Amino acid sequence: MSEGTATIRTRKFMTNRLLARRQMVVDVLHPGKPSLPKTEIREKLAKLYKTTPDVVFVFGFRTAFGGGRSSGFALIYDSLDLAKKFEPKYRLARHGLFEKGKTTRKQRKERKNRVKKVRGTKKAKVGAAASKKKGK
């Protein structure tokens, strides 16, 4: 449970079968030290719940006034595929599991204006054509 001087405790544990995960509030006690990195918390939780760190998602940590105690939230998915299915893209990006396509501001504006010139179902066709051009 405790390595060095940092202790991790979980509370409000819940098994969420619909989203194929275990979710809990995580309390980290780290007296006299700054807050722990999330990667370290992930590794300790993975060891605690006998799983791999890649399916553990920790977020929302706040340090209590005066320090020494942080509290946040953790989700442990049953598999990496289920994590990719249910986890929001921004949290997947933090783990390096999702890469957002980069389009320039100018490309987005040009596409928007092309779509404005047509009506109805043709809008989708014009938008798709614009994204094909962008790929070249």
Side-chain angles (χ1 to χ4, degrees):
M1 199 84 154
S2 67
E3 276 177 28
T5 56
T7 307
I8 292 183
R9 289 204 188 103
T10 60
R11 59 187 169 91
K12 294 188 179 178
F13 179 88
M14 179 185 152
T15 304
N16 189 334
R17 285 288 105 217
L18 284 174
L19 297 175
R21 71 186 184 195
R22 292 168 281 180
Q23 51 197 51
M24 65 212 76
V25 173
V26 180
D27 291 326
V28 183
L29 299 169
H30 47 89
K33 285 185 144 189
S35 57
L36 282 183
K38 284 191 256 186
T39 52
E40 206 172 305
I41 295 169
R42 280 173 61 192
E43 288 162 8
K44 287 185 179 188
L45 280 173
K47 197 162 72 173
L48 193 66
Y49 286 95
K50 297 175 181 68
T51 184
T52 55
D54 61 336
V55 295
V56 180
F57 291 82
V58 294
F59 57 93
F61 278 87
R62 289 278 171 261
T63 306
F65 180 74
R69 201 171 66 237
S70 299
S71 186
F73 207 73
L75 305 171
I76 303 173
Y77 284 91
D78 294 349
S79 72
L80 193 59
D81 291 335
L82 290 165
K84 286 180 181 177
K85 182 178 176 185
F86 293 120
E87 203 55 13
K89 302 286 186 266
Y90 73 94
R91 281 207 294 254
L92 288 172
R94 287 177 187 174
H95 286 230
L97 299 171
F98 178 77
E99 193 73 31
K100 188 180 174 191
K102 276 296 229 183
T103 57
T104 62
R105 181 180 163 96
K106 185 169 180 150
Q107 284 174 328
R108 287 195 306 266
K109 283 175 170 261
E110 285 174 355
R111 180 180 176 194
K112 172 189 64 105
N113 290 329
R114 266 197 301 275
V115 169
K116 276 184 356 187
K117 290 174 187 167
V118 294
R119 290 184 63 179
T121 55
K122 294 185 184 112
K123 283 186 189 287
K125 210 177 284 182
V126 171
S131 60
K132 278 184 187 173
K133 271 187 199 173
K134 185 175 57 186
K136 286 186 178 179

